[in-house]
Amino acid sequence: MSKASATAAELLAREDFGTLSEMVAAHAAERPQHAAVIQDGNTLTYAQLDARADRVAAALQRDGAKPGGSIAIVSATLPDYVALFVGALRAGVAVAPLPPSATPEQIVGMAQDSDAQHLFWDGANEAALAALADRLPKRRIRIDTDALKQWLAPECTEPEAVAVTPDMPFNIIYSSGTTGIPKGIVQPHRMRWLHMQRANAHGYDKHTITLISTPLYSNTTLVSLFPTLAAGGTVVLMAKFDVVRYLELAEKHRITHTMLVPVQYQRIMAHPDFDKYDLSSFRAKFCTSAPFSAALKADILKRWPGRLVEYYGMTEGGGTCVLLAHEHPDKLHTVGQPAPGHDIRIIDEQGRELPPGEVGEVVGSSGAIMTHYHKQPGKTAEAEWYDSTGKRFIRTGDMGRFDKDGFLQLMDRRKDMIISGGFNIYPSDLEAVLRQHEAVADVAVVGVPSEQWGETPVGFVVKKPDALISEAELLAWANGKLGKTQRLSAIEFRDTLPRSAIGKVLKRELRDDYAARAKQTA
Protein backbone atom coordinates (compact mmCIF):
# COMPACT_ATOMS: atom_id res chain seq x y z
CA MET A 1 0.00 0.00 0.00
CA SER A 2 1.17 3.53 -0.64
CA LYS A 3 -0.79 5.10 2.21
CA ALA A 4 -1.07 4.21 5.86
CA SER A 5 -4.21 2.34 6.92
CA ALA A 6 -3.48 2.62 10.64
CA THR A 7 -2.14 5.13 13.11
CA ALA A 8 1.59 5.78 13.26
CA ALA A 9 1.82 4.16 16.69
CA GLU A 10 0.03 1.04 15.47
CA LEU A 11 2.25 0.79 12.42
CA LEU A 12 5.52 1.11 14.32
CA ALA A 13 4.33 -1.42 16.90
CA ARG A 14 3.97 -4.09 14.22
CA GLU A 15 6.31 -6.97 14.87
CA ASP A 16 6.01 -8.34 11.36
CA PHE A 17 6.56 -5.58 8.81
CA GLY A 18 5.78 -2.01 7.82
CA THR A 19 7.22 0.65 5.53
CA LEU A 20 8.70 4.11 5.86
CA SER A 21 6.22 5.39 3.28
CA GLU A 22 3.29 4.28 5.45
CA MET A 23 4.83 5.96 8.49
CA VAL A 24 5.26 9.29 6.70
CA ALA A 25 1.65 9.12 5.45
CA ALA A 26 0.39 8.35 8.96
CA HIS A 27 2.24 11.30 10.48
CA ALA A 28 0.97 13.56 7.69
CA ALA A 29 -2.58 12.55 8.59
CA GLU A 30 -2.09 12.95 12.34
CA ARG A 31 0.21 16.00 12.52
CA PRO A 32 0.28 17.59 9.06
CA GLN A 33 1.95 20.83 10.13
CA HIS A 34 4.69 19.25 12.21
CA ALA A 35 8.17 19.85 10.78
CA ALA A 36 9.65 16.77 9.14
CA VAL A 37 12.78 18.30 7.61
CA ILE A 38 14.52 21.61 8.29
CA GLN A 39 17.51 23.09 6.49
CA ASP A 40 18.79 26.67 6.59
CA GLY A 41 15.45 28.08 7.71
CA ASN A 42 13.41 26.12 5.16
CA THR A 43 10.88 23.65 6.57
CA LEU A 44 9.18 20.68 4.97
CA THR A 45 6.16 19.63 7.04
CA TYR A 46 4.89 16.08 7.13
CA ALA A 47 1.96 17.09 4.94
CA GLN A 48 4.36 18.63 2.43
CA LEU A 49 6.75 15.68 2.57
CA ASP A 50 3.89 13.23 2.05
CA ALA A 51 2.45 15.25 -0.86
CA ARG A 52 5.89 15.62 -2.47
CA ALA A 53 6.47 11.86 -2.10
CA ASP A 54 3.14 11.23 -3.86
CA ARG A 55 4.19 13.44 -6.76
CA VAL A 56 7.58 11.71 -7.02
CA ALA A 57 6.00 8.25 -7.00
CA ALA A 58 3.39 9.25 -9.58
CA ALA A 59 6.03 10.81 -11.85
CA LEU A 60 8.15 7.66 -11.70
CA GLN A 61 5.13 5.53 -12.55
CA ARG A 62 4.26 7.90 -15.41
CA ASP A 63 7.78 7.36 -16.75
CA GLY A 64 7.33 3.62 -16.66
CA ALA A 65 9.18 2.78 -13.42
CA LYS A 66 8.16 -0.58 -12.02
CA PRO A 67 8.36 -2.01 -8.49
CA GLY A 68 11.79 -3.52 -8.01
CA GLY A 69 13.42 -0.94 -10.29
CA SER A 70 15.80 1.76 -9.12
CA ILE A 71 16.77 5.42 -9.30
CA ALA A 72 20.14 7.02 -8.50
CA ILE A 73 20.74 10.28 -6.64
CA VAL A 74 24.05 12.14 -6.64
CA SER A 75 23.62 15.40 -4.79
CA ALA A 76 24.51 17.42 -1.75
CA THR A 77 22.17 17.19 1.24
CA LEU A 78 18.81 18.82 0.48
CA PRO A 79 15.21 18.41 1.75
CA ASP A 80 14.14 17.29 -1.73
CA TYR A 81 16.70 14.48 -1.49
CA VAL A 82 14.63 13.10 1.39
CA ALA A 83 11.38 13.57 -0.57
CA LEU A 84 12.83 11.73 -3.57
CA PHE A 85 13.85 8.86 -1.32
CA VAL A 86 10.42 8.50 0.27
CA GLY A 87 8.64 8.94 -3.07
CA ALA A 88 10.68 6.29 -4.82
CA LEU A 89 10.02 3.84 -1.99
CA ARG A 90 6.30 4.60 -2.26
CA ALA A 91 6.46 3.49 -5.90
CA GLY A 92 8.30 0.32 -4.90
CA VAL A 93 11.49 1.66 -6.46
CA ALA A 94 14.86 1.27 -4.74
CA VAL A 95 17.23 4.21 -4.30
CA ALA A 96 20.96 4.18 -5.07
CA PRO A 97 22.39 7.23 -3.25
CA LEU A 98 25.79 7.92 -4.81
CA PRO A 99 28.70 9.87 -3.27
CA PRO A 100 29.18 13.27 -4.95
CA SER A 101 32.85 13.08 -3.93
CA ALA A 102 33.45 10.14 -6.29
CA THR A 103 35.07 10.75 -9.66
CA PRO A 104 32.77 11.15 -12.69
CA GLU A 105 33.89 7.74 -13.96
CA GLN A 106 33.06 6.14 -10.61
CA ILE A 107 29.65 7.82 -10.53
CA VAL A 108 28.89 6.59 -14.04
CA GLY A 109 30.00 3.09 -13.09
CA MET A 110 27.79 3.00 -9.99
CA ALA A 111 24.80 4.46 -11.85
CA GLN A 112 25.16 1.83 -14.55
CA ASP A 113 25.65 -0.97 -12.03
CA SER A 114 22.49 0.06 -10.15
CA ASP A 115 20.37 -0.22 -13.34
CA ALA A 116 18.88 3.18 -12.47
CA GLN A 117 16.33 4.48 -14.97
CA HIS A 118 16.49 8.00 -13.52
CA LEU A 119 19.45 10.04 -12.26
CA PHE A 120 18.82 12.99 -9.95
CA TRP A 121 21.80 15.32 -9.59
CA ASP A 122 22.73 18.82 -8.51
CA GLY A 123 24.77 21.61 -10.06
CA ALA A 124 28.00 20.56 -8.40
CA ASN A 125 28.05 17.38 -10.46
CA GLU A 126 26.33 18.35 -13.69
CA ALA A 127 29.34 19.89 -15.45
CA ALA A 128 31.66 17.00 -14.60
CA LEU A 129 29.14 14.40 -15.72
CA ALA A 130 27.97 16.19 -18.87
CA ALA A 131 30.82 14.77 -20.93
CA LEU A 132 29.75 11.26 -19.93
CA ALA A 133 26.05 11.81 -20.54
CA ASP A 134 25.81 9.09 -23.16
CA ARG A 135 26.64 6.52 -20.47
CA LEU A 136 24.19 7.86 -17.90
CA PRO A 137 20.45 7.15 -17.53
CA LYS A 138 18.46 8.98 -20.20
CA ARG A 139 16.19 10.62 -17.65
CA ARG A 140 18.32 13.12 -15.72
CA ILE A 141 16.72 15.73 -13.46
CA ARG A 142 18.42 18.57 -11.58
CA ILE A 143 17.37 18.34 -7.96
CA ASP A 144 18.30 21.93 -7.07
CA THR A 145 16.44 23.81 -9.82
CA ASP A 146 12.92 24.22 -11.21
CA ALA A 147 13.64 21.16 -13.36
CA LEU A 148 12.57 18.97 -10.45
CA LYS A 149 9.26 20.82 -10.04
CA GLN A 150 8.62 20.53 -13.77
CA TRP A 151 9.29 16.79 -13.70
CA LEU A 152 7.03 16.09 -10.72
CA ALA A 153 3.47 14.91 -11.29
CA PRO A 154 0.85 17.67 -10.81
CA GLU A 155 -0.11 18.63 -7.27
CA CYS A 156 -2.67 16.39 -5.56
CA THR A 157 -1.78 13.49 -7.85
CA GLU A 158 -1.95 10.16 -6.05
CA PRO A 159 0.26 7.34 -7.28
CA GLU A 160 -0.98 3.84 -7.93
CA ALA A 161 -0.85 1.74 -4.77
CA VAL A 162 2.09 -0.66 -4.63
CA ALA A 163 2.29 -3.70 -2.39
CA VAL A 164 5.77 -3.52 -0.90
CA THR A 165 7.07 -6.82 0.46
CA PRO A 166 9.84 -7.37 3.03
CA ASP A 167 12.30 -8.78 0.51
CA MET A 168 11.95 -5.98 -2.04
CA PRO A 169 15.08 -3.80 -2.37
CA PHE A 170 14.91 -0.62 -0.30
CA ASN A 171 18.22 0.87 -1.39
CA ILE A 172 21.55 0.04 -2.98
CA ILE A 173 24.36 1.50 -0.90
CA TYR A 174 27.75 1.50 -2.55
CA SER A 175 30.71 0.64 -0.36
CA SER A 176 33.16 3.45 0.29
CA GLY A 177 35.78 2.02 -2.00
CA THR A 178 38.45 2.14 0.74
CA THR A 179 39.20 -1.52 -0.02
CA GLY A 180 38.76 -1.48 -3.79
CA ILE A 181 35.98 -0.99 -6.36
CA PRO A 182 32.67 -0.07 -4.65
CA LYS A 183 30.13 -2.88 -4.37
CA GLY A 184 26.37 -2.27 -4.47
CA ILE A 185 24.95 -3.47 -1.15
CA VAL A 186 21.27 -4.33 -1.62
CA GLN A 187 19.34 -3.76 1.60
CA PRO A 188 15.74 -5.03 1.71
CA HIS A 189 12.75 -3.29 3.27
CA ARG A 190 12.81 -5.82 6.11
CA MET A 191 16.27 -4.67 7.16
CA ARG A 192 15.29 -0.99 7.25
CA TRP A 193 12.09 -1.78 9.14
CA LEU A 194 14.12 -3.47 11.87
CA HIS A 195 16.37 -0.39 12.03
CA MET A 196 13.30 1.79 12.52
CA GLN A 197 11.83 -0.44 15.20
CA ARG A 198 15.01 -0.68 17.28
CA ALA A 199 15.01 3.11 17.58
CA ASN A 200 12.31 2.86 20.26
CA ALA A 201 14.97 1.70 22.70
CA HIS A 202 16.91 4.94 22.23
CA GLY A 203 14.13 7.41 22.81
CA TYR A 204 13.08 8.25 19.26
CA ASP A 205 9.52 9.62 19.33
CA LYS A 206 7.39 12.41 17.88
CA HIS A 207 9.34 14.96 19.95
CA THR A 208 12.72 13.87 18.59
CA ILE A 209 14.84 16.49 16.82
CA THR A 210 17.80 14.89 15.06
CA LEU A 211 20.76 16.86 13.74
CA ILE A 212 22.34 15.23 10.69
CA SER A 213 25.72 16.43 9.45
CA THR A 214 26.94 13.38 7.52
CA PRO A 215 26.02 12.92 3.82
CA LEU A 216 22.74 11.31 2.80
CA TYR A 217 24.41 8.66 0.65
CA SER A 218 25.98 7.11 3.74
CA ASN A 219 24.37 4.28 5.66
CA THR A 220 25.69 6.00 8.79
CA THR A 221 23.27 8.84 8.08
CA LEU A 222 20.33 6.74 6.97
CA VAL A 223 20.23 4.67 10.18
CA SER A 224 19.52 7.94 11.97
CA LEU A 225 17.35 9.66 9.33
CA PHE A 226 14.77 6.92 8.81
CA PRO A 227 14.06 6.16 12.50
CA THR A 228 13.48 9.87 13.11
CA LEU A 229 10.92 10.09 10.30
CA ALA A 230 9.32 6.79 11.28
CA ALA A 231 8.82 8.13 14.81
CA GLY A 232 7.37 11.42 13.54
CA GLY A 233 10.27 13.55 14.71
CA THR A 234 12.12 16.37 12.99
CA VAL A 235 15.34 16.12 11.02
CA VAL A 236 17.66 19.15 10.87
CA LEU A 237 20.01 18.84 7.90
CA MET A 238 23.50 20.27 7.51
CA ALA A 239 24.81 20.41 3.95
CA LYS A 240 28.38 20.42 5.23
CA PHE A 241 29.82 19.74 8.66
CA ASP A 242 31.33 22.67 10.53
CA VAL A 243 32.00 22.54 14.28
CA VAL A 244 30.71 26.00 15.19
CA ARG A 245 27.68 25.73 12.93
CA TYR A 246 26.89 22.31 14.37
CA LEU A 247 26.99 23.63 17.94
CA GLU A 248 24.89 26.65 17.00
CA LEU A 249 22.22 24.48 15.38
CA ALA A 250 22.25 22.06 18.31
CA GLU A 251 21.58 24.90 20.74
CA LYS A 252 19.06 26.72 18.52
CA HIS A 253 16.88 23.71 17.67
CA ARG A 254 17.20 21.99 21.06
CA ILE A 255 18.55 18.85 19.41
CA THR A 256 17.73 15.55 21.12
CA HIS A 257 19.53 13.02 18.89
CA THR A 258 22.52 12.99 16.60
CA MET A 259 24.75 10.58 14.69
CA LEU A 260 28.39 11.55 14.30
CA VAL A 261 31.54 9.74 13.24
CA PRO A 262 34.58 9.72 15.57
CA VAL A 263 36.53 12.44 13.75
CA GLN A 264 33.54 14.79 14.12
CA TYR A 265 33.33 14.09 17.85
CA GLN A 266 37.07 14.69 18.09
CA ARG A 267 36.81 18.10 16.42
CA ILE A 268 33.75 19.15 18.41
CA MET A 269 35.25 18.22 21.78
CA ALA A 270 38.53 19.98 20.90
CA HIS A 271 36.83 23.28 20.12
CA PRO A 272 37.77 25.86 22.77
CA ASP A 273 34.18 27.14 23.08
CA PHE A 274 32.48 23.76 23.36
CA ASP A 275 31.51 24.20 27.00
CA LYS A 276 29.84 27.55 26.29
CA TYR A 277 27.00 25.96 24.30
CA ASP A 278 23.81 24.71 25.92
CA LEU A 279 23.49 21.07 24.89
CA SER A 280 21.23 20.02 27.75
CA SER A 281 18.45 18.97 25.36
CA PHE A 282 20.39 15.96 24.10
CA ARG A 283 18.89 12.57 24.92
CA ALA A 284 21.16 10.35 22.86
CA LYS A 285 24.28 10.64 20.74
CA PHE A 286 25.33 7.86 18.39
CA CYS A 287 28.58 6.92 16.74
CA THR A 288 29.62 4.38 14.13
CA SER A 289 31.73 3.82 10.99
CA ALA A 290 35.27 4.13 12.38
CA PRO A 291 37.38 3.32 15.47
CA PHE A 292 36.22 5.36 18.48
CA SER A 293 38.90 5.80 21.13
CA ALA A 294 38.12 5.10 24.77
CA ALA A 295 39.61 8.45 25.83
CA LEU A 296 37.32 10.35 23.46
CA LYS A 297 34.28 8.42 24.69
CA ALA A 298 35.20 9.27 28.28
CA ASP A 299 35.53 12.97 27.45
CA ILE A 300 32.10 13.00 25.77
CA LEU A 301 30.50 11.26 28.75
CA LYS A 302 32.00 13.82 31.09
CA ARG A 303 31.16 17.00 29.17
CA TRP A 304 28.21 16.34 26.83
CA PRO A 305 24.76 15.58 28.32
CA GLY A 306 22.73 12.57 27.22
CA ARG A 307 23.39 8.93 26.47
CA LEU A 308 26.32 7.85 24.30
CA VAL A 309 25.69 4.82 22.11
CA GLU A 310 28.22 3.22 19.79
CA TYR A 311 27.07 0.92 17.01
CA TYR A 312 29.44 -1.60 15.52
CA GLY A 313 28.31 -3.26 12.32
CA MET A 314 28.46 -3.14 8.56
CA THR A 315 26.34 -1.61 5.83
CA GLU A 316 25.88 -5.22 4.72
CA GLY A 317 24.20 -5.90 8.04
CA GLY A 318 24.46 -9.30 9.63
CA GLY A 319 25.34 -8.62 13.23
CA THR A 320 25.48 -5.44 15.27
CA CYS A 321 27.10 -4.78 18.62
CA VAL A 322 25.92 -1.92 20.81
CA LEU A 323 27.93 -0.17 23.50
CA LEU A 324 25.83 1.84 25.95
CA ALA A 325 28.84 3.86 27.04
CA HIS A 326 26.95 5.74 29.75
CA GLU A 327 26.04 2.43 31.41
CA HIS A 328 29.40 0.71 30.97
CA PRO A 329 32.17 3.28 31.53
CA ASP A 330 34.56 0.41 32.26
CA LYS A 331 34.04 -1.03 28.75
CA LEU A 332 34.91 1.99 26.63
CA HIS A 333 37.73 0.04 24.96
CA THR A 334 35.10 -2.29 23.46
CA VAL A 335 32.25 -1.90 20.94
CA GLY A 336 29.73 -3.44 23.30
CA GLN A 337 27.60 -6.55 23.26
CA PRO A 338 25.53 -8.14 20.49
CA ALA A 339 22.21 -6.35 19.99
CA PRO A 340 19.07 -8.33 20.89
CA GLY A 341 18.45 -10.96 18.23
CA HIS A 342 21.96 -10.60 16.78
CA ASP A 343 24.34 -13.55 16.71
CA ILE A 344 28.03 -12.56 16.69
CA ARG A 345 30.77 -15.16 16.52
CA ILE A 346 34.54 -15.35 16.08
CA ILE A 347 36.09 -17.67 13.48
CA ASP A 348 39.63 -18.62 12.51
CA GLU A 349 41.27 -18.70 9.07
CA GLN A 350 39.70 -22.10 8.36
CA GLY A 351 36.20 -20.91 9.28
CA ARG A 352 36.13 -22.72 12.63
CA GLU A 353 34.47 -21.07 15.60
CA LEU A 354 36.75 -19.84 18.36
CA PRO A 355 36.01 -19.60 22.10
CA PRO A 356 35.79 -16.31 24.06
CA GLY A 357 39.16 -14.66 24.55
CA GLU A 358 40.68 -15.83 21.27
CA VAL A 359 41.26 -13.46 18.36
CA GLY A 360 39.67 -14.17 15.01
CA GLU A 361 37.41 -12.71 12.34
CA VAL A 362 34.07 -11.30 13.47
CA VAL A 363 30.97 -12.69 11.71
CA GLY A 364 27.36 -11.82 12.40
CA SER A 365 23.78 -12.83 11.64
CA SER A 366 20.37 -11.25 12.28
CA GLY A 367 17.17 -10.29 10.53
CA ALA A 368 18.88 -7.05 9.47
CA ILE A 369 21.06 -8.43 6.69
CA MET A 370 21.73 -7.49 3.08
CA THR A 371 20.20 -9.52 0.30
CA HIS A 372 23.35 -9.57 -1.82
CA TYR A 373 25.94 -7.46 -3.62
CA HIS A 374 24.23 -6.19 -6.74
CA LYS A 375 25.13 -8.35 -9.73
CA GLN A 376 28.17 -9.78 -7.93
CA PRO A 377 27.33 -13.34 -6.78
CA GLY A 378 31.00 -14.16 -6.35
CA LYS A 379 31.58 -11.23 -3.98
CA THR A 380 28.37 -12.12 -2.15
CA ALA A 381 29.63 -15.66 -1.56
CA GLU A 382 32.98 -14.35 -0.31
CA ALA A 383 31.14 -12.22 2.28
CA GLU A 384 29.11 -15.13 3.65
CA TRP A 385 29.87 -17.76 6.29
CA TYR A 386 27.50 -20.54 7.31
CA ASP A 387 27.54 -22.38 10.62
CA SER A 388 26.96 -26.11 11.01
CA THR A 389 23.18 -25.63 10.91
CA GLY A 390 23.28 -23.65 7.67
CA LYS A 391 22.63 -20.30 9.34
CA ARG A 392 23.89 -17.41 7.19
CA PHE A 393 26.41 -14.92 8.60
CA ILE A 394 28.20 -11.93 7.07
CA ARG A 395 31.98 -11.75 7.41
CA THR A 396 33.14 -8.35 8.64
CA GLY A 397 36.83 -8.57 7.79
CA ASP A 398 37.49 -7.27 11.33
CA MET A 399 39.61 -9.09 13.87
CA GLY A 400 38.29 -9.17 17.41
CA ARG A 401 37.67 -11.15 20.58
CA PHE A 402 35.00 -11.38 23.27
CA ASP A 403 35.95 -10.73 26.87
CA LYS A 404 34.61 -12.72 29.80
CA ASP A 405 31.58 -10.41 30.06
CA GLY A 406 30.58 -10.84 26.42
CA PHE A 407 31.84 -7.45 25.20
CA LEU A 408 33.54 -7.39 21.81
CA GLN A 409 36.99 -5.81 21.55
CA LEU A 410 38.13 -5.05 18.02
CA MET A 411 41.76 -5.48 17.11
CA ASP A 412 41.89 -4.34 13.48
CA ARG A 413 40.72 -4.90 9.96
CA ARG A 414 41.95 -8.31 8.84
CA LYS A 415 43.59 -6.71 5.82
CA ASP A 416 45.33 -4.15 8.04
CA MET A 417 46.88 -6.69 10.39
CA ILE A 418 50.67 -6.60 10.02
CA ILE A 419 52.66 -9.84 9.94
CA SER A 420 56.21 -8.93 10.88
CA GLY A 421 58.82 -11.63 11.36
CA GLY A 422 56.01 -14.16 11.75
CA PHE A 423 54.26 -12.19 14.50
CA ASN A 424 50.76 -10.71 14.18
CA ILE A 425 50.75 -6.98 14.95
CA TYR A 426 47.48 -5.09 15.33
CA PRO A 427 47.85 -1.43 14.30
CA SER A 428 45.12 -0.41 16.76
CA ASP A 429 47.37 -1.47 19.66
CA LEU A 430 50.18 0.77 18.38
CA GLU A 431 47.80 3.64 17.68
CA ALA A 432 46.47 3.42 21.25
CA VAL A 433 50.01 3.82 22.61
CA LEU A 434 50.80 6.79 20.36
CA ARG A 435 47.55 8.53 21.38
CA GLN A 436 48.78 8.52 24.96
CA HIS A 437 51.41 11.12 24.06
CA GLU A 438 50.26 14.68 24.72
CA ALA A 439 51.66 15.87 21.36
CA VAL A 440 49.55 13.50 19.25
CA ALA A 441 46.26 14.78 17.80
CA ASP A 442 45.62 12.01 15.27
CA VAL A 443 47.40 8.84 14.22
CA ALA A 444 47.27 5.88 11.86
CA VAL A 445 49.64 2.90 11.72
CA VAL A 446 50.05 0.82 8.57
CA GLY A 447 52.25 -2.05 7.51
CA VAL A 448 54.81 -1.42 4.76
CA PRO A 449 57.05 -3.92 2.93
CA SER A 450 60.31 -4.88 4.64
CA GLU A 451 63.05 -7.11 3.22
CA GLN A 452 64.09 -8.15 6.71
CA TRP A 453 60.70 -8.72 8.34
CA GLY A 454 58.22 -9.07 5.46
CA GLU A 455 56.24 -6.13 6.84
CA THR A 456 57.01 -3.47 9.39
CA PRO A 457 54.75 -0.88 11.07
CA VAL A 458 55.01 2.84 10.28
CA GLY A 459 53.14 5.52 12.19
CA PHE A 460 51.61 8.60 10.52
CA VAL A 461 50.98 11.29 13.10
CA VAL A 462 49.20 14.64 13.16
CA LYS A 463 50.69 16.74 15.95
CA LYS A 464 48.71 19.05 18.17
CA PRO A 465 49.28 22.76 17.46
CA ASP A 466 52.56 24.07 18.91
CA ALA A 467 53.69 20.57 19.95
CA LEU A 468 57.49 20.55 20.23
CA ILE A 469 58.71 17.06 19.44
CA SER A 470 60.61 15.51 16.56
CA GLU A 471 59.73 12.36 14.66
CA ALA A 472 62.79 10.63 16.14
CA GLU A 473 61.83 11.62 19.69
CA LEU A 474 58.26 10.37 19.33
CA LEU A 475 59.50 7.14 17.74
CA ALA A 476 61.86 6.50 20.65
CA TRP A 477 59.11 7.29 23.17
CA ALA A 478 56.61 4.95 21.51
CA ASN A 479 59.04 2.07 21.03
CA GLY A 480 59.97 2.36 24.68
CA LYS A 481 56.39 1.44 25.53
CA LEU A 482 55.81 -1.18 22.84
CA GLY A 483 56.78 -4.83 22.91
CA LYS A 484 59.86 -5.91 20.99
CA THR A 485 57.85 -7.44 18.13
CA GLN A 486 55.57 -4.38 17.90
CA ARG A 487 58.14 -1.64 17.49
CA LEU A 488 57.61 0.98 14.83
CA SER A 489 60.24 1.31 12.12
CA ALA A 490 59.41 4.96 11.45
CA ILE A 491 57.12 7.84 12.25
CA GLU A 492 56.06 10.51 9.77
CA PHE A 493 54.37 13.77 10.68
CA ARG A 494 51.43 14.79 8.49
CA ASP A 495 49.26 17.90 8.47
CA THR A 496 46.18 15.70 8.05
CA LEU A 497 45.31 12.06 7.50
CA PRO A 498 43.40 11.09 4.35
CA ARG A 499 39.80 10.25 5.23
CA SER A 500 36.64 9.21 3.46
CA ALA A 501 33.59 11.46 3.56
CA ILE A 502 32.38 9.71 6.73
CA GLY A 503 35.70 9.87 8.53
CA LYS A 504 37.40 6.54 7.87
CA VAL A 505 41.18 6.83 7.58
CA LEU A 506 42.21 5.74 4.10
CA LYS A 507 45.10 3.53 5.14
CA ARG A 508 45.56 2.23 1.64
CA GLU A 509 46.45 5.75 0.49
CA LEU A 510 49.05 6.06 3.26
CA ARG A 511 50.48 2.66 2.41
CA ASP A 512 50.61 3.33 -1.34
CA ASP A 513 52.11 6.79 -0.89
CA TYR A 514 54.84 5.46 1.43
CA ALA A 515 55.66 2.61 -0.96
CA ALA A 516 55.85 4.97 -3.95
CA ARG A 517 58.25 7.29 -2.16
CA ALA A 518 60.35 4.34 -0.99
CA LYS A 519 60.76 3.23 -4.61
CA GLN A 520 61.87 6.69 -5.66
CA THR A 521 64.62 6.78 -3.03
CA ALA A 522 65.74 3.16 -3.53
Side-chain angles (χ1 to χ4, degrees):
M1 296 178 62
S2 64
K3 290 290 185 178
S5 56
T7 67
E10 290 170 341
L11 287 169
L12 199 57
R14 285 179 179 173
E15 292 186 2
D16 52 355
F17 177 66
T19 69
L20 176 64
S21 172
E22 289 177 304
M23 295 304 302
V24 169
H27 293 307
E30 295 171 18
R31 296 199 301 164
Q33 298 309 310
H34 188 71
V37 182
I38 297 173
Q39 186 179 44
D40 298 331
N42 298 315
T43 299
L44 201 61
T45 66
Y46 272 95
Q48 291 170 330
L49 175 60
D50 184 55
R52 181 62 61 90
D54 268 350
R55 296 174 68 190
V56 169
L60 289 172
Q61 291 172 341
R62 175 200 66 210
D63 290 350
K66 303 295 183 184
S70 62
I71 66 168
I73 308 174
V74 55
S75 167
T77 297
L78 295 167
D80 273 327
Y81 197 132
V82 179
L84 282 168
F85 221 124
V86 178
L89 296 173
R90 185 162 289 177
V93 173
V95 179
L98 309 181
S101 56
T103 67
E105 283 287 346
Q106 289 172 329
I107 292 172
V108 169
M110 288 183 281
Q112 289 179 331
D113 182 77
S114 72
D115 297 322
Q117 298 300 303
H118 293 71
L119 175 66
F120 297 88
W121 58 7
D122 64 7
N125 293 281
E126 186 172 32
L129 292 172
L132 304 173
D134 60 326
R135 295 163 52 196
L136 291 167
K138 292 182 179 180
R139 293 188 175 94
R140 297 185 295 277
I141 300 100
R142 274 282 295 270
I143 190 175
D144 56 345
T145 68
D146 287 341
L148 179 62
K149 296 179 182 178
Q150 294 166 5
W151 172 81
L152 291 170
E155 292 187 13
C156 300
T157 302
E158 290 193 9
E160 296 177 17
V162 173
V164 174
T165 61
D167 291 326
M168 287 177 65
F170 185 107
N171 52 238
I172 306 173
I173 303 289
Y174 280 86
S175 63
S176 63
T178 58
T179 58
I181 299 172
K183 300 181 291 289
I185 302 165
V186 181
Q187 297 176 323
H189 277 264
R190 176 190 291 106
M191 181 174 177
R192 287 299 187 193
W193 182 245
L194 289 172
H195 288 171
M196 288 182 261
Q197 286 192 312
R198 77 180 181 189
N200 290 335
H202 298 301
Y204 283 89
D205 58 28
K206 63 183 181 181
H207 304 297
T208 292
I209 307 174
T210 297
L211 181 52
I212 286 178
S213 61
T214 46
L216 288 173
Y217 67 81
S218 167
N219 191 60
T220 296
T221 307
L222 300 181
V223 296
S224 184
L225 170 70
F226 297 141
T228 302
L229 294 177
T234 300
V235 176
V236 179
L237 299 175
M238 289 184 71
K240 185 178 180 181
F241 177 71
D242 174 82
V243 172
V244 172
R245 182 61 177 156
Y246 178 92
L247 292 169
E248 290 174 346
L249 288 172
E251 184 175 75
K252 174 183 176 181
H253 290 285
R254 304 298 295 160
I255 297 300
T256 63
H257 292 69
T258 197
M259 171 69 83
L260 295 164
V261 295
V263 69
Q264 290 176 313
Y265 278 113
Q266 179 183 333
R267 292 170 183 171
I268 290 170
M269 301 308 295
H271 195 277
D273 293 332
F274 171 81
D275 296 308
K276 296 180 181 179
Y277 289 88
D278 180 5
L279 305 180
S280 59
S281 58
F282 274 88
R283 294 187 220 157
K285 303 172 295 298
F286 302 93
C287 187
T288 189
S289 296
F292 195 13
S293 75
L296 182 54
K297 295 176 199 177
D299 191 30
I300 295 166
L301 288 174
K302 180 180 179 181
R303 301 167 56 205
W304 194 336
R307 309 171 72 185
L308 178 61
V309 181
E310 181 180 10
Y311 286 132
Y312 164 70
M314 299 180 69
T315 302
E316 289 88 338
T320 297
C321 281
V322 181
L323 175 64
L324 304 177
H326 49 286
E327 294 182 5
H328 300 284
D330 60 329
K331 297 292 186 178
L332 301 186
H333 61 292
T334 77
V335 292
Q337 299 169 300
H342 289 237
D343 188 353
I344 311 291
R345 304 187 197 178
I346 306 295
I347 62 173
D348 65 14
E349 291 284 346
Q350 287 73 44
R352 298 172 300 201
E353 290 185 51
L354 295 171
E358 293 201 26
V359 176
E361 183 179 1
V362 182
V363 299
S365 181
S366 71
I369 193 168
M370 74 167 182
T371 307
H372 55 271
Y373 289 124
H374 191 52
K375 297 192 290 189
Q376 296 197 54
K379 292 293 185 183
T380 302
E382 289 176 11
E384 296 170 330
W385 177 80
Y386 292 84
D387 71 3
S388 59
T389 69
K391 186 175 182 179
R392 179 176 178 245
F393 289 71
I394 295 295
R395 306 181 72 130
T396 67
D398 289 330
M399 304 297 287
R401 64 185 171 205
F402 280 106
D403 68 15
K404 61 181 178 61
D405 300 314
F407 285 74
L408 179 64
Q409 182 181 2
L410 294 181
M411 309 306 292
D412 258 300
R413 293 288 294 169
R414 182 179 174 187
K415 67 179 180 61
D416 288 334
M417 185 179 72
I418 302 165
I419 303 177
S420 183
F423 293 94
N424 292 346
I425 300 174
Y426 299 102
S428 59
D429 290 341
L430 281 61
E431 291 163 357
V433 169
L434 283 165
R435 285 195 180 95
Q436 294 174 15
H437 197 287
E438 60 183 11
V440 175
D442 204 359
V443 61
V445 172
V446 303
V448 301
S450 166
E451 289 186 10
Q452 184 177 6
W453 304 109
E455 285 185 298
T456 186
V458 172
F460 297 87
V461 173
V462 177
K463 292 190 300 181
K464 290 181 180 178
D466 304 322
L468 300 176
I469 190 170
S470 68
E471 293 172 341
E473 289 170 333
L474 183 58
L475 179 65
W477 178 90
N479 282 342
K481 293 181 173 294
L482 293 168
K484 185 177 180 181
T485 60
Q486 295 178 304
R487 289 174 185 168
L488 294 150
S489 62
I491 280 180
E492 284 193 3
F493 289 153
R494 295 287 185 99
D495 293 332
T496 59
L497 297 180
R499 293 182 181 273
S500 68
I502 56 170
K504 292 182 180 179
V505 175
L506 302 176
K507 290 193 172 183
R508 186 178 59 182
E509 287 192 13
L510 292 171
R511 191 179 296 111
D512 291 349
D513 175 65
Y514 188 92
R517 288 186 287 111
K519 283 184 179 180
Q520 292 175 355
T521 58

